[in-house]
Amino acid sequence: MEFEFRSTLPATVDTVWAALENIETVALCIPGVVRVAREEEDRYAGALRIKVGPIALELGGLVTVELLDAATRTLRFLGEAKDRRVPGQIKSRATLIVTEHADGSELYLHSDTHILGKLGEFGQPVVRKKTEQVLREFTENLGRQLTGDDTAA
């Protein structure tokens, strides 16, 4: 399943890029993330609690940063996660690019996500809707973090 998402953020490109470079902090802007920790220079372990349709999941896994290019303000990573109770796996390769925008900056995300096993049986419409909701909430949380308004997070 492929996703494309664009969102404007109320901060300069340099400010947004600096936030994205701090993987451990920016990951906490993702709704449902309960922990994230650096294991190696470019690998992070973490967990995400999320409800998809009627099923509550706790996905544990690894994120490997494949590209962190300040010149083009591009971040590419591979995420792999499993729930220990529900058979299946999620693999997602995502690219985030920060560009200038009249209102500050624009964050563009493209991901190619594969949901295997029992997890993949939810159906694309349910998964797509949940993914879009998570991406919207992520950019709202990131925007609040960048402006220092974390009261509504």
Side-chain angles (χ1 to χ4, degrees), residues 77-96:
F77 62 88
L78 173 65
E80 300 175 90
K82 295 179 181 182
D83 183 288
R84 60 190 164 105
R85 297 162 303 169
V86 179
Q89 182 176 8
I90 297 173
K91 286 187 175 185
S92 184
R93 177 166 278 117
T95 302
L96 287 87

Side-chain angles (χ1 to χ4, degrees), residues 48-105:
L48 170 76
R49 287 189 188 127
I50 192 165
K51 188 170 181 181
V52 181
I55 306 295
L57 302 168
E58 183 166 331
L59 299 166
L62 294 172
V63 171
T64 303
V65 176
E66 299 177 325
L67 176 69
L68 189 63
D69 185 351
T72 61
R73 295 183 184 96
T74 303
L75 165 64
R76 186 176 59 240
F77 62 88
L78 173 65
E80 300 175 90
K82 295 179 181 182
D83 183 288
R84 60 190 164 105
R85 297 162 303 169
V86 179
Q89 182 176 8
I90 297 173
K91 286 187 175 185
S92 184
R93 177 166 278 117
T95 302
L96 287 87
I97 302 170
V98 183
T99 57
E100 291 186 26
H101 187 276
D103 295 328
S105 58

